[in-house]
Amino acid sequence: MCGFAGLIDPHCTAPDRLARAAERMIAPIAHRGPDDAGVHVEAVAGLALGFRRLAVLEPGPAGHQPMISASGRSVLVFNGEIYNAAALRRLLAEEGQHFRGRSDTEVLLEACERWGVAEALRRAVGMFALAFWDRTRRDLVLARDRLGKKPLFYGVGGGRFFFASQPKSLLALEGVERRIDREALRLYLRHGYVPAPHAIFAGLRKLPAGAIGRWRQGGELLIERYWSPAEAAAAPPLELAPEAAVDALETLLGETVACRLHADVPLGAFLSGGVDSSLIVALMQRASGGAVETFSIGFEDPALDEAPMARRVAAHLGTRHHELYVGSAEALAGVPQLPEWFDEPFADYSALPTLLLCRFARRGVTVALSGDGGDELFAGYRRYAQTLALKRRLDRLPRAALPLARALGTVPDAAWEGAGRLLPAALEGARLGERARRLAALAGASPQAVMDDMTSHWPEPARLLREDRPAGRRRKPAPSGTAPLAGLRLHDLERWLADDILVKVDRASMAASLEVRAPLLDHRMVELALRLPLPLLQRDGRGKWPLRQLLGRHLPSTLIDRPKQGFAPPVQQWLRGPLRDWAEDLLEPARLDADGLFDTGLVRRIWRQHLEGRVDRRFPLWNLLMLQAWKQRWLAPAGGGAHSCSAVAP
């Protein structure tokens, strides 16, 4: 796993200046690649490429990047792994290609030059972000893997085109402004992350997952998708008996696990004791023929502690198990560090235990396999059933109720709060005005819009942001003929998985210089799961039936049938206790007023509600606190006060 950055500046033809720019860009992402660094400059084109390497395959000079092709016509910087590199190498050799080393980077480079980038990526199995430079045509191609495991940001400004694995590299360039994009801010407040193609900084964008972007000098980045979950789901469904489906799943998942065991460095796995990670470890153990290194962390609160179950699974499978118990002081110390590693505001508070787990695993291995993807692919989230139940209730509402809901929604929040003090705690917690507005807005909405609203941190960001007008919500329709549950899974794959789960794993693992591989998110697994009949995924009110059945071939039922715990610290209690002073400082009225972004009265009202303990407001508060902490780290005046904390693009 690695990181890269680059720019094209036609007005700069001084090699030393271009090289210094590339060096500045890769310096902030040294943690992504602590083993090696390289720069490539082509002054006549104003091109500079920089690379930081975490050596996993071919650790010697033959794996150095930026890498020039054997013909000399092409240059590649590549962050990721190609798991079928050996098969692609054989195909290229049959066409007369000679190789200088055994790295997957060289295979991908020669494949892109010989077959074209789009065709090479269609044949590749892996996770990646890349920049491919055609030296003859002076064309640049950017690309990301199908699911979006590896990040890629880009921007245009001052006649330059620039790109990098993380925004901090782009901020190292002279002249890149640190202004918040207003639409990205609204999306962040709603979801707790910034979805692609948006980026929190005005002028920057994310290349979408499964996309190729082509840049020609004097033009713009032309983006095309070469793969999408929706297209994969449109294939004819598989007509398989239940046991045959489990057999097909075992064969393919066994293959995706086995191909991810190839590394020239120590390798292990995360083990929480849940279905997904336990299944991955069981198949690793079978494929490796020896004891697998497994890692888990535990917490003091028994309600949050998954370590005992992970320990039992590890003992049954015979792994070499390592566990770390994290005290509250150690966990709390990591909270202020989160904005350093997440260049954009990020409010999934499982980022903290993920970061701690990655650091712990890195003490023993350089590569770890994870069970990410099982819930999205096999309908494991409880919210799917909750969303569909709420959608059915909404559809049964009489039309006469909607005008009343709209009328109740016009009552100011402060008035509801005053009335709420005269009502039982259950009614105050219901936040009647907010719920009335949401009820009116969701009438006739798609299941995806209902789920977005259910999971939103700030469902109405316009009411929080100053000078914002409440706007109608954009409703994403399901593709024609898509069943409701299938539409929810696709929505999660394209949004939640790509922009929350995979961002969390990438930033947390790279902060520890650890590579994480996810066998369940091999695109062939995704295509198989999306073609399985929906009744096969959910049985007896529970999701992930095929995964549970497959795990039952490796573990006894006593280690499988248990409630899902999750992976989250006790933020609700922390905000009322050890994190209270930290939060109070970030939400201090003078600070909020100085920023000029938020309705200070609304923020303080919600903070007071949470402290009083009558209403749990941890989600909107954590969202806002992560934004404030991120602003403190990335928008504070730099270079003599050139940037303003309150700078916001319209």
Side-chain angles (χ1 to χ4, degrees):
M1 208 57 58
C2 311
F4 64 81
L7 77 154
I8 298 176
D9 185 353
H11 306 294
C12 180
T13 57
D16 56 337
R17 289 184 58 194
L18 288 168
R20 285 198 300 271
E23 289 166 355
R24 281 199 305 273
M25 294 174 78
I26 61 173
I29 57 171
H31 58 283
R32 296 188 71 95
D35 298 329
D36 189 20
V39 168
H40 176 83
V41 169
E42 295 194 9
V44 67
L47 171 79
L49 298 172
F51 191 78
R52 293 291 320 199
R53 185 182 184 204
L54 177 64
V56 172
L57 294 172
E58 186 67 285
H64 178 78
Q65 295 187 51
M67 184 178 288
I68 301 175
S69 66
S71 70
R73 296 195 306 268
S74 311
V75 186
L76 178 72
V77 283
F78 157 63
N79 166 29
E81 298 289 347
I82 303 300
Y83 302 118
N84 66 334
L88 296 179
R89 178 188 295 267
R90 287 193 295 270
L91 290 174
L92 290 165
E94 290 171 1
E95 296 181 12
Q97 181 66 49
H98 297 284
F99 291 93
R100 297 159 290 174
R102 55 186 184 85
S103 75
D104 58 341
T105 303
E106 185 181 6
V107 171
L108 183 61
L109 169 58
E110 301 299 347
C112 288
E113 181 175 283
R114 184 173 291 265
W115 300 330
V117 174
E119 180 59 25
L121 298 187
R122 290 188 188 99
R123 298 190 189 195
V125 176
M127 57 179 177
F128 48 81
L130 62 85
F132 177 81
W133 173 251
D134 186 320
R135 305 176 80 183
T136 303
R137 301 174 61 188
R138 295 188 186 177
D139 285 349
L140 177 72
V141 179
L142 306 180
R144 285 182 76 193
D145 62 71
R146 295 167 179 86
L147 277 301
K149 299 176 188 120
K150 295 293 101 188
L152 185 48
F153 293 77
Y154 67 92
V156 181
R160 303 171 300 175
F161 179 74
F162 35 86
F163 52 92
S165 298
Q166 291 188 226
K168 52 168 54 90
S169 291
L170 303 180
L171 299 179
L173 277 176
E174 295 179 2
V176 175
E177 294 185 280
R178 303 188 184 201
R179 292 185 301 130
I180 296 176
D181 180 275
R182 193 83 177 193
E183 179 60 19
L185 177 60
R186 295 186 191 100
L187 290 167
Y188 165 75
L189 291 170
R190 284 206 71 187
H191 303 295
Y193 55 85
V194 180
H198 300 278
I200 194 63
F201 292 104
L204 301 187
R205 304 284 280 179
K206 298 186 186 90
L207 188 69
I212 293 173
R214 302 180 185 278
W215 171 268
R216 293 188 177 180
Q217 291 205 19
E220 59 180 347
L221 192 69
L222 302 177
I223 297 175
E224 61 185 63
R225 294 288 293 270
Y226 66 92
W227 188 91
S228 76
E231 291 180 359
L238 296 171
E239 297 182 4
L240 294 173
E243 280 303 308
V246 176
D247 289 341
L249 176 62
E250 180 165 31
T251 298
L252 182 55
L253 186 55
E255 181 181 340
T256 66
V257 167
C259 73
R260 283 164 175 78
L261 299 182
H262 181 46
D264 293 332
V265 292
L267 181 145
F270 298 151
L271 180 60
S272 68
V275 169
D276 306 330
S277 66
S278 298
L279 181 54
I280 296 302
V281 170
L283 294 176
M284 284 179 69
Q285 191 85 331
R286 185 178 70 180
S288 65
V292 171
E293 305 285 343
T294 53
F295 301 86
S296 66
I297 61 172
F299 294 96
E300 297 166 343
D301 186 344
L304 304 171
D305 187 15
E306 293 183 321
M309 181 56 69
R311 194 182 311 133
R312 291 175 62 191
V313 171
H316 183 87
L317 294 175
T319 73
R320 284 191 293 269
H321 191 57
H322 313 271
E323 64 181 35
L324 172 71
Y325 266 84
V326 178
S328 58
E330 183 179 357
L332 291 167
V335 171
Q337 300 174 21
L338 292 174
E340 178 63 38
W341 307 115
F342 290 80
D343 302 9
E344 294 191 298
F346 189 74
D348 183 339
Y349 48 62
S350 66
L352 178 59
T354 303
L355 177 61
L356 296 173
L357 176 60
C358 289
R359 287 175 174 171
F360 176 53
R362 187 61 175 90
R363 298 178 190 175
V365 299
T366 307
V367 176
L369 271 63
S370 80
D372 292 312
D375 287 305
E376 292 83 3
L377 293 181
F378 295 92
Y381 288 126
R382 288 190 293 267
R383 65 170 175 254
Y384 295 150
Q386 294 165 348
T387 295
L388 296 178
L390 176 57
K391 171 65 175 167
R392 288 191 293 271
R393 291 198 295 271
L394 289 167
D395 289 344
R396 289 197 298 266
L397 280 175
R399 291 184 176 274
L402 297 180
L404 175 61
R406 294 189 185 100
L408 291 173
T410 62
V411 177
D413 289 344
W416 281 115
E417 182 186 13
R421 294 183 180 279
L422 305 176
L423 298 171
L427 287 181
E428 182 186 359
R431 303 187 297 279
L432 298 179
E434 176 186 320
R435 293 200 172 190
R437 290 191 298 270
R438 293 168 69 180
L439 173 64
L442 288 175
S446 68
Q448 293 95 314
V450 173
M451 185 169 70
D452 274 350
D453 190 87
M454 282 180 56
T455 57
S456 289
H457 295 178
W458 291 91
E460 303 170 295
R463 293 184 175 272
L464 173 66
L465 292 169
R466 292 181 181 178
E467 301 177 4
D468 249 20
R469 296 180 181 178
R473 302 183 187 185
R474 286 177 279 185
R475 297 172 179 169
K476 180 175 181 178
S480 177
T482 301
L485 176 58
L488 295 179
R489 289 165 65 217
L490 284 174
H491 189 56
D492 263 350
L493 282 170
E494 295 189 306
R495 179 66 69 87
W496 165 259
L497 178 76
D499 296 315
D500 184 298
I501 301 299
L502 296 179
V503 169
K504 173 184 67 180
V505 173
D506 175 79
R507 303 304 189 277
S509 62
M510 287 291 91
S513 302
L514 177 77
E515 176 175 304
V516 174
R517 302 174 177 178
L520 283 166
L521 291 177
D522 186 299
H523 75 277
R524 298 167 297 175
M525 277 295 306
V526 176
E527 291 168 353
L528 172 64
L530 292 177
R531 295 181 64 193
L532 291 177
L534 292 177
L536 197 63
L537 304 183
Q538 291 189 331
R539 291 192 168 192
D540 302 322
R542 302 179 70 189
K544 300 202 287 193
W545 182 86
L547 293 183
R548 294 178 191 279
Q549 291 299 110
L550 179 52
L551 184 57
R553 298 177 179 182
H554 300 273
L555 290 178
S557 60
T558 54
L559 297 182
I560 301 173
D561 296 325
R562 65 185 184 93
K564 186 178 179 66
Q565 259 185 289
F567 194 46
V571 168
Q572 179 181 359
Q573 292 81 12
W574 283 357
L575 291 178
R576 295 188 182 116
L579 284 180
R580 180 169 178 169
D581 289 345
W582 169 78
E584 188 66 63
D585 179 62
L586 291 172
L587 301 180
E588 200 269 327
R591 181 194 290 262
L592 294 171
D593 287 339
D595 283 349
L597 279 179
F598 309 114
D599 180 334
T600 301
L602 174 59
V603 173
R604 297 298 300 181
R605 187 160 60 247
I606 288 176
W607 177 229
R608 185 171 61 251
Q609 288 174 349
H610 188 83
L611 291 179
E612 290 173 352
R614 289 172 62 88
V615 185
D616 179 6
R617 304 307 295 264
R618 73 186 117 162
F619 292 110
L621 285 171
W622 192 257
N623 180 299
L624 194 55
L625 288 165
M626 285 294 99
L627 177 65
Q628 290 292 88
W630 171 84
K631 286 167 56 187
Q632 187 178 59
R633 169 61 183 90
W634 293 107
L635 296 188
H643 307 298
S644 170
C645 287
S646 59
V648 180

CSV table of all heavy atoms in Angstrom, one decimal, residues 352-391:
chain,number,residue,atom,x,y,z
A,352,LEU,N,-12.1,5.5,15.6
A,352,LEU,CA,-11.1,5.4,16.7
A,352,LEU,C,-10.7,4.0,17.0
A,352,LEU,O,-9.5,3.7,17.0
A,352,LEU,CB,-11.7,6.1,17.9
A,352,LEU,CG,-10.8,6.1,19.1
A,352,LEU,CD1,-9.4,6.8,18.9
A,352,LEU,CD2,-11.5,6.8,20.3
A,353,PRO,N,-11.6,3.1,17.3
A,353,PRO,CA,-11.1,1.7,17.5
A,353,PRO,C,-10.5,1.1,16.3
A,353,PRO,O,-9.6,0.2,16.5
A,353,PRO,CB,-12.4,0.9,17.9
A,353,PRO,CG,-13.5,1.8,17.5
A,353,PRO,CD,-13.0,3.2,17.5
A,354,THR,N,-10.9,1.5,15.1
A,354,THR,CA,-10.2,0.9,13.9
A,354,THR,C,-8.8,1.4,13.8
A,354,THR,O,-7.8,0.6,13.5
A,354,THR,CB,-10.9,1.4,12.6
A,354,THR,OG1,-12.3,1.0,12.7
A,354,THR,CG2,-10.3,0.8,11.4
A,355,LEU,N,-8.5,2.6,14.2
A,355,LEU,CA,-7.1,3.2,14.2
A,355,LEU,C,-6.3,2.4,15.3
A,355,LEU,O,-5.2,2.0,15.0
A,355,LEU,CB,-7.1,4.7,14.5
A,355,LEU,CG,-5.8,5.4,14.7
A,355,LEU,CD1,-5.0,5.2,13.4
A,355,LEU,CD2,-6.0,6.8,15.0
A,356,LEU,N,-6.9,2.2,16.4
A,356,LEU,CA,-6.2,1.5,17.5
A,356,LEU,C,-5.9,0.0,17.1
A,356,LEU,O,-4.8,-0.5,17.4
A,356,LEU,CB,-7.0,1.5,18.8
A,356,LEU,CG,-7.2,2.9,19.4
A,356,LEU,CD1,-8.2,2.8,20.6
A,356,LEU,CD2,-5.9,3.6,19.8
A,357,LEU,N,-6.8,-0.6,16.4
A,357,LEU,CA,-6.6,-2.0,16.0
A,357,LEU,C,-5.5,-2.1,15.0
A,357,LEU,O,-4.7,-3.0,15.0
A,357,LEU,CB,-7.9,-2.5,15.4
A,357,LEU,CG,-7.9,-3.9,14.8
A,357,LEU,CD1,-7.4,-5.0,15.9
A,357,LEU,CD2,-9.2,-4.3,14.2
A,358,CYS,N,-5.5,-1.1,14.0
A,358,CYS,CA,-4.5,-1.1,13.0
A,358,CYS,C,-3.1,-0.9,13.6
A,358,CYS,O,-2.1,-1.5,13.2
A,358,CYS,CB,-4.8,0.0,11.9
A,358,CYS,SG,-6.2,-0.4,10.9
A,359,ARG,N,-3.0,0.0,14.5
A,359,ARG,CA,-1.7,0.2,15.2
A,359,ARG,C,-1.2,-1.0,15.9
A,359,ARG,O,0.0,-1.4,15.9
A,359,ARG,CB,-1.8,1.4,16.2
A,359,ARG,CG,-1.9,2.8,15.5
A,359,ARG,CD,-2.1,3.8,16.5
A,359,ARG,NE,-2.0,5.2,15.9
A,359,ARG,CZ,-2.4,6.3,16.6
A,359,ARG,NH1,-2.8,6.2,17.8
A,359,ARG,NH2,-2.3,7.5,15.9
A,360,PHE,N,-2.1,-1.7,16.6
A,360,PHE,CA,-1.8,-2.9,17.3
A,360,PHE,C,-1.3,-4.0,16.3
A,360,PHE,O,-0.3,-4.7,16.6
A,360,PHE,CB,-3.0,-3.4,18.1
A,360,PHE,CG,-2.8,-4.7,18.8
A,360,PHE,CD1,-1.7,-4.9,19.7
A,360,PHE,CD2,-3.7,-5.7,18.7
A,360,PHE,CE1,-1.5,-6.1,20.3
A,360,PHE,CE2,-3.6,-6.9,19.3
A,360,PHE,CZ,-2.5,-7.1,20.2
A,361,ALA,N,-2.1,-4.2,15.2
A,361,ALA,CA,-1.7,-5.3,14.3
A,361,ALA,C,-0.4,-5.0,13.6
A,361,ALA,O,0.4,-5.9,13.3
A,361,ALA,CB,-2.8,-5.4,13.2
A,362,ARG,N,-0.1,-3.7,13.4
A,362,ARG,CA,1.2,-3.3,12.7
A,362,ARG,C,2.4,-3.7,13.5
A,362,ARG,O,3.5,-3.9,13.0
A,362,ARG,CB,1.2,-1.8,12.4
A,362,ARG,CG,2.4,-1.4,11.6
A,362,ARG,CD,2.3,-2.1,10.2
A,362,ARG,NE,3.4,-1.5,9.3
A,362,ARG,CZ,4.6,-2.1,9.3
A,362,ARG,NH1,5.0,-3.1,10.0
A,362,ARG,NH2,5.5,-1.5,8.4
A,363,ARG,N,2.2,-4.0,14.8
A,363,ARG,CA,3.4,-4.4,15.6
A,363,ARG,C,3.9,-5.8,15.2
A,363,ARG,O,5.0,-6.1,15.4
A,363,ARG,CB,3.0,-4.5,17.1
A,363,ARG,CG,2.6,-3.2,17.7
A,363,ARG,CD,2.2,-3.4,19.2
A,363,ARG,NE,1.5,-2.2,19.8
A,363,ARG,CZ,1.0,-2.2,21.0
A,363,ARG,NH1,1.0,-3.3,21.7
A,363,ARG,NH2,0.4,-1.1,21.4
A,364,GLY,N,3.0,-6.6,14.6
A,364,GLY,CA,3.3,-7.9,14.2
A,364,GLY,C,3.3,-8.2,12.7
A,364,GLY,O,4.0,-9.2,12.3
A,365,VAL,N,2.5,-7.5,11.9
A,365,VAL,CA,2.4,-7.8,10.5
A,365,VAL,C,2.3,-6.5,9.7
A,365,VAL,O,2.2,-5.4,10.3
A,365,VAL,CB,1.1,-8.6,10.2
A,365,VAL,CG1,1.1,-9.9,11.0
A,365,VAL,CG2,-0.2,-7.8,10.6
A,366,THR,N,2.5,-6.6,8.4
A,366,THR,CA,2.4,-5.5,7.5
A,366,THR,C,1.2,-5.5,6.7
A,366,THR,O,0.7,-4.5,6.1
A,366,THR,CB,3.7,-5.5,6.6
A,366,THR,OG1,4.9,-5.5,7.4
A,366,THR,CG2,3.7,-4.2,5.7
A,367,VAL,N,0.6,-6.7,6.6
A,367,VAL,CA,-0.7,-6.9,5.8
A,367,VAL,C,-1.7,-7.6,6.7
A,367,VAL,O,-1.3,-8.5,7.4
A,367,VAL,CB,-0.4,-7.7,4.5
A,367,VAL,CG1,-1.8,-8.0,3.8
A,367,VAL,CG2,0.5,-7.0,3.6
A,368,ALA,N,-3.0,-7.1,6.7
A,368,ALA,CA,-4.0,-7.8,7.4
A,368,ALA,C,-5.3,-7.9,6.6
A,368,ALA,O,-5.6,-7.0,5.9
A,368,ALA,CB,-4.4,-7.0,8.7
A,369,LEU,N,-5.9,-9.1,6.6
A,369,LEU,CA,-7.2,-9.3,6.0
A,369,LEU,C,-8.3,-8.9,6.9
A,369,LEU,O,-8.2,-9.1,8.1
A,369,LEU,CB,-7.3,-10.7,5.5
A,369,LEU,CG,-6.7,-11.1,4.1
A,369,LEU,CD1,-5.2,-10.9,4.1
A,369,LEU,CD2,-7.1,-12.5,3.7
A,370,SER,N,-9.4,-8.4,6.3
A,370,SER,CA,-10.5,-8.0,7.1
A,370,SER,C,-11.8,-8.6,6.5
A,370,SER,O,-11.8,-9.1,5.4
A,370,SER,CB,-10.7,-6.4,7.1
A,370,SER,OG,-11.3,-6.0,5.9
A,371,GLY,N,-12.9,-8.5,7.3
A,371,GLY,CA,-14.2,-9.0,6.8
A,371,GLY,C,-15.1,-7.9,6.3
A,371,GLY,O,-16.3,-8.2,6.2
A,372,ASP,N,-14.6,-6.8,5.9
A,372,ASP,CA,-15.5,-5.7,5.4
A,372,ASP,C,-16.3,-6.1,4.2
A,372,ASP,O,-15.8,-6.8,3.3
A,372,ASP,CB,-14.6,-4.5,5.1
A,372,ASP,CG,-14.0,-3.8,6.3
A,372,ASP,OD1,-14.7,-3.6,7.3
A,372,ASP,OD2,-12.8,-3.6,6.2
A,373,GLY,N,-17.5,-5.7,4.2
A,373,GLY,CA,-18.4,-5.9,3.0
A,373,GLY,C,-19.5,-6.9,3.2
A,373,GLY,O,-20.5,-6.9,2.4
A,374,GLY,N,-19.4,-7.7,4.2
A,374,GLY,CA,-20.5,-8.8,4.4
A,374,GLY,C,-21.9,-8.2,4.6
A,374,GLY,O,-22.8,-8.8,4.1
A,375,ASP,N,-22.0,-7.2,5.4
A,375,ASP,CA,-23.3,-6.6,5.7
A,375,ASP,C,-24.0,-6.0,4.4
A,375,ASP,O,-25.2,-6.1,4.2
A,375,ASP,CB,-23.2,-5.6,6.8
A,375,ASP,CG,-23.0,-6.2,8.1
A,375,ASP,OD1,-23.8,-7.1,8.5
A,375,ASP,OD2,-22.0,-5.8,8.8
A,376,GLU,N,-23.1,-5.3,3.6
A,376,GLU,CA,-23.7,-4.6,2.4
A,376,GLU,C,-24.1,-5.7,1.4
A,376,GLU,O,-25.1,-5.6,0.7
A,376,GLU,CB,-22.7,-3.7,1.8
A,376,GLU,CG,-22.4,-2.4,2.7
A,376,GLU,CD,-21.4,-2.7,3.8
A,376,GLU,OE1,-20.8,-3.8,3.9
A,376,GLU,OE2,-21.2,-1.7,4.6
A,377,LEU,N,-23.2,-6.7,1.2
A,377,LEU,CA,-23.4,-7.7,0.1
A,377,LEU,C,-24.6,-8.6,0.5
A,377,LEU,O,-25.3,-9.1,-0.4
A,377,LEU,CB,-22.2,-8.4,-0.2
A,377,LEU,CG,-21.0,-7.7,-0.8
A,377,LEU,CD1,-19.8,-8.6,-1.0
A,377,LEU,CD2,-21.4,-7.0,-2.1
A,378,PHE,N,-24.7,-9.0,1.7
A,378,PHE,CA,-25.6,-10.1,2.1
A,378,PHE,C,-26.7,-9.6,3.1
A,378,PHE,O,-27.2,-10.4,3.8
A,378,PHE,CB,-24.8,-11.2,2.7
A,378,PHE,CG,-23.9,-11.9,1.8
A,378,PHE,CD1,-22.5,-11.5,1.6
A,378,PHE,CD2,-24.3,-12.9,0.9
A,378,PHE,CE1,-21.7,-12.1,0.7
A,378,PHE,CE2,-23.5,-13.5,0.0
A,378,PHE,CZ,-22.2,-13.1,-0.1
A,379,ALA,N,-27.0,-8.3,3.0
A,379,ALA,CA,-28.2,-7.7,3.7
A,379,ALA,C,-28.1,-8.0,5.2
A,379,ALA,O,-29.1,-8.4,5.8
A,379,ALA,CB,-29.5,-8.3,3.1
A,380,GLY,N,-27.0,-7.7,5.8
A,380,GLY,CA,-26.8,-7.9,7.2
A,380,GLY,C,-27.2,-6.8,8.1
A,380,GLY,O,-27.4,-7.0,9.3
A,381,TYR,N,-27.4,-5.6,7.6
A,381,TYR,CA,-27.8,-4.5,8.5
A,381,TYR,C,-29.2,-4.5,8.9
A,381,TYR,O,-30.1,-4.7,8.1
A,381,TYR,CB,-27.5,-3.1,7.7
A,381,TYR,CG,-26.1,-2.8,7.6
A,381,TYR,CD1,-25.6,-2.5,6.3
A,381,TYR,CD2,-25.2,-2.7,8.6
A,381,TYR,CE1,-24.2,-2.2,6.1
A,381,TYR,CE2,-23.9,-2.4,8.5
A,381,TYR,CZ,-23.4,-2.1,7.2
A,381,TYR,OH,-22.0,-1.8,7.0
A,382,ARG,N,-29.5,-4.2,10.2
A,382,ARG,CA,-30.8,-4.1,10.7
A,382,ARG,C,-31.6,-3.0,10.1
A,382,ARG,O,-32.8,-3.0,10.0
A,382,ARG,CB,-30.8,-4.0,12.2
A,382,ARG,CG,-30.4,-5.2,13.0
A,382,ARG,CD,-30.6,-5.1,14.5
A,382,ARG,NE,-29.8,-4.1,15.1
A,382,ARG,CZ,-28.6,-4.3,15.6
A,382,ARG,NH1,-28.1,-5.6,15.6
A,382,ARG,NH2,-27.9,-3.4,16.1
A,383,ARG,N,-30.9,-2.0,9.6
A,383,ARG,CA,-31.6,-0.8,9.1
A,383,ARG,C,-32.3,-1.1,7.8
A,383,ARG,O,-33.2,-0.3,7.5
A,383,ARG,CB,-30.6,0.3,8.9
A,383,ARG,CG,-29.5,0.1,7.8
A,383,ARG,CD,-28.8,1.4,7.5
A,383,ARG,NE,-27.7,1.2,6.6
A,383,ARG,CZ,-26.4,1.2,6.9
A,383,ARG,NH1,-26.0,1.4,8.2
A,383,ARG,NH2,-25.4,1.1,6.0
A,384,TYR,N,-32.0,-2.2,7.1
A,384,TYR,CA,-32.8,-2.5,5.9
A,384,TYR,C,-34.2,-2.8,6.3
A,384,TYR,O,-35.1,-2.3,5.7
A,384,TYR,CB,-32.1,-3.7,5.2
A,384,TYR,CG,-30.7,-3.4,4.6
A,384,TYR,CD1,-29.8,-4.4,4.5
A,384,TYR,CD2,-30.4,-2.1,4.2
A,384,TYR,CE1,-28.5,-4.1,3.9
A,384,TYR,CE2,-29.1,-1.8,3.7
A,384,TYR,CZ,-28.2,-2.8,3.6
A,384,TYR,OH,-27.0,-2.6,3.0
A,385,ALA,N,-34.4,-3.7,7.3
A,385,ALA,CA,-35.7,-4.1,7.7
A,385,ALA,C,-36.4,-2.9,8.3
A,385,ALA,O,-37.6,-2.6,8.1
A,385,ALA,CB,-35.7,-5.2,8.7
A,386,GLN,N,-35.7,-2.1,9.1
A,386,GLN,CA,-36.3,-0.9,9.7
A,386,GLN,C,-36.7,0.1,8.7
A,386,GLN,O,-37.8,0.7,8.8
A,386,GLN,CB,-35.3,-0.2,10.7
A,386,GLN,CG,-34.9,-1.1,11.9
A,386,GLN,CD,-33.7,-0.7,12.6
A,386,GLN,OE1,-32.9,0.2,12.1
A,386,GLN,NE2,-33.4,-1.2,13.8
A,387,THR,N,-35.9,0.3,7.6
A,387,THR,CA,-36.3,1.2,6.6
A,387,THR,C,-37.5,0.8,5.9
A,387,THR,O,-38.5,1.6,5.6
A,387,THR,CB,-35.1,1.4,5.6
A,387,THR,OG1,-34.0,1.9,6.2
A,387,THR,CG2,-35.5,2.2,4.4
A,388,LEU,N,-37.6,-0.5,5.5
A,388,LEU,CA,-38.8,-0.9,4.7
A,388,LEU,C,-40.0,-0.9,5.6
A,388,LEU,O,-41.1,-0.6,5.1
A,388,LEU,CB,-38.5,-2.4,4.2
A,388,LEU,CG,-37.3,-2.4,3.2
A,388,LEU,CD1,-37.1,-3.9,2.8
A,388,LEU,CD2,-37.6,-1.6,2.0
A,389,ALA,N,-39.9,-1.2,6.9
A,389,ALA,CA,-41.0,-1.1,7.8
A,389,ALA,C,-41.5,0.4,7.9
A,389,ALA,O,-42.7,0.7,7.8
A,389,ALA,CB,-40.7,-1.6,9.2
A,390,LEU,N,-40.6,1.3,8.0
A,390,LEU,CA,-41.0,2.7,8.1
A,390,LEU,C,-41.6,3.2,6.7
A,390,LEU,O,-42.6,3.9,6.7
A,390,LEU,CB,-39.8,3.6,8.4
A,390,LEU,CG,-40.0,5.1,8.4
A,390,LEU,CD1,-41.1,5.5,9.4
A,390,LEU,CD2,-38.7,5.9,8.7
A,391,LYS,N,-41.0,2.7,5.6
A,391,LYS,CA,-41.6,3.1,4.3
A,391,LYS,C,-43.0,2.6,4.2
A,391,LYS,O,-43.9,3.3,3.7
A,391,LYS,CB,-40.7,2.4,3.2
A,391,LYS,CG,-41.2,2.5,1.8
A,391,LYS,CD,-41.3,3.9,1.3
A,391,LYS,CE,-41.7,4.0,-0.1
A,391,LYS,NZ,-42.1,5.3,-0.6
